[in-house]
């Protein structure tokens, strides 16, 4: 009651001399500088296109990467808070002329580092549309037709992965948050509220986001079992069975098994069918992290490697990898939508009534987010325009390219293939005569430096069994045979120089 009386006595303004008329006059001339009309928008877009179109036209010749050490001190210096604005032209010039370079350039056909994200331009147009419309899409009543766009996308993905009619999912920012939500969902479905006896099983080739997600889901590091892999870097099923048995004997509660649908290191795919059988026998939730490899399910060769993914309880996908979309487009699928509701559903008095009818999805009840961007459009628009067949053709080309590269690399003297490609990653290292131990790793670091020196290709490395190993990951939709021929030539030249000099 005290709060109510205080609220009633609050004046309309802190200035006691300002009358109601004075206040009305002041409000009659508001600042409208944030409100853009159609003509201003057109002018701004034309200004932006003056920068974007040359960028797109020059992608073939722009470097795939630039050293961050090239960044100027002026660009890296903190800027003061801008109390007053500057004009569009000056600000855009600063962005494109000073901020864009140096940087990695995943849109380049020469970018074969890490796991490339393509940045499909159709999706950029979709994001512009979505941001201008600015509709709310995590509550069904706020935009039924727009929510249905995301619901259709999720259903298409579920069909692609072979999940049943009860399946569901949501779009998120990427694999890291999808893996986190999968672990939270598995925890809610398989463990009591006091869940700290639960144990998680993943391989020594899993993405680091699995262990981080486990920690964010409330599990200490001691509850995550890292299972050894075989000579092909796939989870060893015998080691897995032994770890589960030991934990049960110790009074712990095994509840979650994470398989790899294409590892980041080598692209290895676990024996998903065998892991699914173990999970079923042990009554574990079976999650497949297919952020990198999942969309190869579109291809005949990919489906052969991914057999068993259809038995998963949950699957992580990254459309910003296998569908070439802009960064910030991830996905979690589940065998049963009800499990997402169990883990994420929450009532609030200020929200509208949630939907109970089949097909009407309130994503705020099935995912961690309430307010977020309209991600569905950036996936839906390119798929509607081109169809899945076009994306299948591109992914088949990447599988062809990695096989071509593997055969070319095998012909370079003293170069050994470390892992054959399962999907679109091949790894290799240089083995000069009589070079071993730390010196061998140093030679391969030099090899990588020389390959990347020109900037027209960009490769990265990993450690496999403590050996510095170079990776080629072919996933950018702009990467075709011509750039791979250049890449192989860079590798051949650098390897010859290092073998001749003996360093």
């Amino acid at each position: 009651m005290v709060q109510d009386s205080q609220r009633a006595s609050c004046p309309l303004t802190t200035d006691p001399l300002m009358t109601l008329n004075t206040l009305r006059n002041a409000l009659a001339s508001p600042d409208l500088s944030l409100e853009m009309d159609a003509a201003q928008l057109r002018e701004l877009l034309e200004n932006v296109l003056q920068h974007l179109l040359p960028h797109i036209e020059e992608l073939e010749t722009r470097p795939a990467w630039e050293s961050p050490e090239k960044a100027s001190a002026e660009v890296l210096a903190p800027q003061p808070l801008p109390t007053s604005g500057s004009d569009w032209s000056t600000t855009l010039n600063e962005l494109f002329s000073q901020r864009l370079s140096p940087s990695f350039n995943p849109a380049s056909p020469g970018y074969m580092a890490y796991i490339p994200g393509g940045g499909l331009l159709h999706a950029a147009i979709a994001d512009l549309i979505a941001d201008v419309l600015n509709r709310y899409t995590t509550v069904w009543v706020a935009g039924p037709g727009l929510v249905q766009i995301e619901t259709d996308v999720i259903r298409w993905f579920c069909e692609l992965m072979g999940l049943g009619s009860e399946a569901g999912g949501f779009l998120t920012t990427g694999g890291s948050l999808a893996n986190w939500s999968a672990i939270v969902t598995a925890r809610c479905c398989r463990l009591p509220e006091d869940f700290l006896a639960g144990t998680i099983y993943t391989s020594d080739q899993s993405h680091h986001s699995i262990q981080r997600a486990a920690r964010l889901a409330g599990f200490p590091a001691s509850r995550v079992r890292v299972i050894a892999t075989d000579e092909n870097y796939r989870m060893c099923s015998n080691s897995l069975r032994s770890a589960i048995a030991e934990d049960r004997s110790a009074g712990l509660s095994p509840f979650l098994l994470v398989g790899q649908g294409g590892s980041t290191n080598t692209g290895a795919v676990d024996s998903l069918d065998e892991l699914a059988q173990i999970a079923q026998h042990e009554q574990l939730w079976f999650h497949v992290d297919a952020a990198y490899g999942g969309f190869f399910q579109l291809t005949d060769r990919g489906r052969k490697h991914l057999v068993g993914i259809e038995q998963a309880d949950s699957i992580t996908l990254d459309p910003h990898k296998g569908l070439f979309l802009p960064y910030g487009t991830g996905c979690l699928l589940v065998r049963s939508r009800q499990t997402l509701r169990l883990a994420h559903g929450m009532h609030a008095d200020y929200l509208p009534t949630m939907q109970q009818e089949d097909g009407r999805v309130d994503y705020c009840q099935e995912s961690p987010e309430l307010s977020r961007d309209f991600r569905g459009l950036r996936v839906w628009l390119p798929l509607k325009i081109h169809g899945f067949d076009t994306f299948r053709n591109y992914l088949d080309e990447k599988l062809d390219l990695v096989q071509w590269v593997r055969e070319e690399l095998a012909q370079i003297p003293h170069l050994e293939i470390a892992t054959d490609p399962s999907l679109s990653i091949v790894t290799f290292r240089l083995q000069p005569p009589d070079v071993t131990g730390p010196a061998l790793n140093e030679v391969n670091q030099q090899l990588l430096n020389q390959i990347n020196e020109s900037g027209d290709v960009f490769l990265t490395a990993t450690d496999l069994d403590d050996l510095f190993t170079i990776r080629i990951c072919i996933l950018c939709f702009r990467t075709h045979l011509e750039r791979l021929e250049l890449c192989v030539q860079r590798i051949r030249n650098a390897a010859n120089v290092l073998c001749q000099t003996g360093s």
Side-chain angles (χ1 to χ4, degrees):
M1 295 299 294
V2 173
Q3 291 178 343
D4 288 343
S5 64
Q6 288 178 343
R7 186 182 299 117
S9 64
C10 284
L12 291 172
T13 175
T14 56
D15 183 356
L17 300 180
M18 183 175 284
T19 65
L20 186 59
N21 286 335
T22 303
L23 182 59
R24 183 181 293 110
N25 291 336
L27 294 173
S29 301
D31 183 352
L32 301 177
S33 57
L34 295 181
E35 299 169 45
M36 189 180 299
D37 61 27
Q40 290 171 317
L41 177 60
R42 181 184 297 276
E43 181 182 359
L44 174 58
L45 289 175
E46 290 174 352
N47 199 337
V48 171
L49 285 174
Q50 290 178 11
H51 293 275
L52 285 179
L53 294 180
H55 171 78
I56 295 167
E57 292 168 351
E58 296 166 5
L59 269 176
E60 289 283 335
T61 56
R62 284 180 178 270
W65 81 291
E66 298 166 288
S67 170
E69 302 305 320
K70 294 181 179 180
S72 68
E74 179 183 1
V75 168
L76 296 179
Q79 291 190 345
L81 186 146
T83 54
S84 58
S86 59
D87 63 88
W88 279 105
S89 180
T90 300
T91 305
L92 289 173
N93 283 333
E94 177 186 343
L95 172 62
F96 284 91
S97 301
Q98 301 178 33
R99 302 286 177 173
L100 187 59
S101 178
S103 64
F104 295 173
N105 184 8
S108 165
Y111 191 97
M112 291 169 271
Y114 306 107
I115 306 291
L120 202 63
L121 296 179
H122 311 68
I125 300 301
D127 280 350
L128 173 63
I129 296 171
D131 289 347
V132 171
L133 295 179
N134 194 36
R135 293 297 192 269
Y136 204 87
T137 55
T138 62
V139 175
W140 186 84
V141 297
L146 301 180
V147 173
Q148 187 62 41
I149 283 177
E150 185 161 329
T151 303
D152 284 343
V153 166
I154 294 298
R155 191 183 73 255
W156 299 339
F157 288 173
C158 288
E159 291 176 3
L160 178 62
M161 296 299 136
L163 301 179
S165 60
E166 299 300 314
F170 59 87
L171 297 175
T172 184
T173 56
S176 293
L177 284 186
N179 284 333
W180 171 72
S181 199
I183 292 177
V184 170
T185 303
R187 186 196 74 195
C188 291
C189 293
R190 297 299 172 92
L191 293 175
E193 288 189 2
D194 183 5
F195 56 80
L196 290 181
T199 50
I200 300 168
Y201 304 85
T202 189
S203 85
D204 60 19
Q205 295 299 300
S206 66
H207 195 273
H208 78 281
S209 65
I210 297 296
Q211 297 199 41
R212 181 169 59 187
R215 183 174 65 188
L216 293 175
F219 294 94
S222 62
R223 291 295 182 260
V224 180
R225 304 289 178 258
V226 179
I227 307 300
T229 50
D230 61 20
E231 66 276 9
N232 295 313
Y233 298 98
R234 299 185 302 179
M235 186 185 293
C236 178
S237 58
N238 289 335
S239 298
L240 171 63
R241 290 188 181 96
S242 297
I244 294 171
E246 289 175 8
D247 284 336
R248 290 201 192 281
S249 296
L252 298 175
S253 302
F255 81 101
L256 171 62
L257 171 60
V258 181
Q260 298 301 303
S263 69
T264 300
N265 270 348
T266 68
V269 179
D270 286 333
S271 179
L272 300 179
D273 192 46
E274 183 178 17
L275 294 187
Q277 294 176 34
I278 295 173
Q280 184 176 13
H281 180 264
E282 298 287 351
Q283 297 184 321
L284 308 181
W285 181 282
F286 182 36
H287 175 64
V288 176
D289 183 359
Y292 155 59
F295 285 107
F296 283 99
Q297 184 81 346
L298 280 166
T299 70
D300 290 340
R301 286 171 286 181
R303 282 194 297 275
K304 291 177 181 178
H305 285 288
L306 292 163
V307 167
I309 196 170
E310 72 283 354
Q311 301 177 62
D313 293 295
S314 56
I315 302 170
T316 287
L317 299 172
D318 265 352
H320 64 216
K321 295 184 174 77
L323 292 184
F324 321 123
L325 300 182
Y327 289 122
T329 317
C331 178
L332 177 67
L333 304 180
V334 293
R335 176 169 299 282
S336 170
R337 276 183 56 203
Q338 295 299 329
T339 60
L340 290 179
R341 294 176 183 174
L342 177 65
H344 300 90
M346 190 69 63
H347 171 74
D349 290 336
Y350 47 79
L351 290 176
T353 301
M354 297 292 109
Q355 302 300 303
Q356 303 301 320
E357 186 176 332
D358 286 345
R360 296 185 174 187
V361 182
D362 291 301
Y363 281 104
C364 66
Q365 295 295 302
E366 300 185 13
S367 69
E369 297 174 286
L370 178 58
S371 298
R372 63 166 173 82
D373 56 330
F374 177 22
R375 298 187 187 111
L377 192 61
R378 80 168 68 123
V379 186
W380 180 85
L381 190 65
L383 290 174
K384 286 284 285 185
I385 290 172
H386 291 288
F388 275 99
D389 284 349
T390 296
F391 291 88
R392 177 182 295 110
N393 293 338
Y394 270 79
L395 290 172
D396 263 323
E397 181 205 22
K398 307 316 165 193
L399 296 177
D400 290 338
L401 286 172
V402 77
Q403 291 297 332
W404 180 88
V405 166
R406 188 256 181 247
E407 298 306 316
E408 290 291 319
L409 294 178
Q411 298 177 35
I412 299 176
H414 307 299
L415 202 74
E416 64 179 29
I417 304 299
T419 59
D420 283 316
S422 297
L423 298 173
S424 67
I425 297 174
V426 63
T427 67
F428 64 94
R429 65 178 69 94
L430 189 63
Q431 179 61 73
D434 303 322
V435 179
T436 60
L440 180 61
N441 285 343
E442 184 177 340
V443 165
N444 279 280
Q445 177 68 74
Q446 293 177 28
L447 175 63
L448 180 63
N449 293 343
Q450 292 188 27
I451 294 168
N452 289 337
E453 186 176 9
S454 66
D456 46 26
V457 296
F458 183 34
L459 310 183
T460 48
T462 188
D463 284 339
L464 296 178
D465 302 319
D466 296 323
L467 290 175
F468 186 93
T469 306
I470 303 173
R471 305 164 62 260
I472 299 177
C473 180
I474 305 170
L475 200 59
C476 176
F477 67 97
R478 293 185 177 95
T479 301
H480 304 294
L481 180 60
E482 181 181 6
R483 190 58 62 110
L484 266 298
E485 290 175 330
L486 178 61
C487 179
V488 169
Q489 188 60 47
R490 294 276 182 261
I491 296 169
R492 182 180 291 111
N493 292 343
N496 289 341
V497 168
L498 288 170
C499 287
Q500 289 171 5
T501 60
S503 62

